[in-house]
Amino acid sequence: MSDHEQQPAPRHGKVLEALARAERKVFTRPVPQSANARVKFLLTRMTESARSLAERVGTSTRTIERYRAGKLKKPQKRLQAALVEATESEWQPQVRAQASTSRGMMVEVTAYFGFTCTGSSDDGRERQITTDISPIYVKQILELQAAGATEEELRRIVAEAITESYFTEWGTRADGLRADFTAVSSISFRF
């Protein structure tokens, strides 16, 4: 791979992107902005070698070494996106811990919801829902995210959290109801 050839940056689904946006909004210190600062941060924070960081962001080891030395300044779009994503995923991990232990978070989603239950239920349809998610579910969501869960796995646990808080009102009605959502138009989280 030459110095300027790059692999595409990893793509994420809407739930993963929404979680990343929510975390960025609550950062207390500014994230490193230059490519040089990001590379240095990633190399020191994650104790990665230049080779493993290069593999992670889809470029060559030599390119990473040039950014670390300040010889290269402005990365191409794919490398820039990969560096931003890698830096933000490692920046201030205590944000996740605080949300999962005390506050919980709010989710706003527009998606197609389908239902399964022991009695009768409405047919599935697109809904716009805004509801709180309990800290228990937030902890599960963030642990799955940190473990590299797929979009489908995260979608399943978010649907379970929405079912509990919105559709069953914390277990006070619609016993046995299970909601799944597909065709997510938009989703956002707030800590």
Side-chain angles (χ1 to χ4, degrees):
M1 181 181 299
S2 74
D3 290 341
H4 296 290
E5 275 184 33
Q6 297 172 358
Q7 298 171 350
R11 294 186 54 139
H12 290 294
K14 290 185 179 183
V15 174
L16 287 164
E17 289 172 0
L19 286 168
R21 281 192 311 271
E23 289 172 345
R24 283 193 299 267
K25 287 181 182 178
V26 294
F27 288 151
T28 56
R29 293 185 343 207
V31 178
Q33 294 299 307
S34 71
N36 175 269
R38 286 184 175 128
V39 166
K40 285 181 178 179
F41 167 76
L42 290 168
L43 289 171
T44 58
R45 175 73 172 180
M46 302 173 347
T47 62
E48 285 194 20
S49 67
R51 169 178 261 157
S52 63
L53 179 57
E55 289 173 4
R56 180 175 178 184
V57 297
T59 193
S60 70
T61 303
R62 184 176 163 121
T63 299
I64 293 298
E65 290 169 352
R66 285 178 163 175
Y67 280 108
R68 177 175 40 193
K71 293 179 181 177
L72 293 177
K73 303 282 185 196
K74 189 171 181 186
Q76 294 176 353
K77 287 181 182 180
R78 288 183 185 163
L79 179 57
Q80 176 70 16
L83 286 172
V84 166
E85 181 181 323
T87 302
E88 290 176 350
S89 72
E90 298 299 324
W91 194 254
Q92 295 185 344
Q94 66 269 19
V95 169
R96 292 182 182 102
Q98 289 173 357
S100 65
T101 58
S102 61
R103 299 186 294 231
M105 70 180 164
M106 177 78 71
V107 63
E108 184 174 325
V109 63
T110 301
Y112 183 87
F113 283 85
F115 302 95
T116 308
C117 67
T118 55
S120 63
S121 176
D122 291 338
D123 290 333
R125 65 176 189 264
E126 185 172 271
R127 296 173 184 249
Q128 182 176 5
I129 295 173
T130 302
T131 189
D132 288 314
I133 294 178
S134 77
I136 294 166
Y137 281 107
V138 174
K139 183 177 182 184
Q140 291 175 10
I141 291 167
L142 295 177
E143 285 173 353
L144 280 171
Q145 178 193 21
T150 65
E151 178 77 5
E152 186 60 36
E153 292 168 329
L154 285 168
R155 200 178 280 176
R156 225 181 342 251
I157 193 72
V158 171
E160 187 178 317
I162 291 170
T163 300
E164 182 178 318
S165 68
Y166 184 82
F167 293 110
T168 67
E169 295 178 0
W170 310 105
T172 61
R173 66 182 190 94
D175 191 34
L177 179 74
R178 194 183 106 224
D180 294 315
F181 65 84
T182 58
V184 177
S185 298
S186 67
I187 187 167
S188 64
F189 297 98
R190 288 188 307 270
F191 289 103

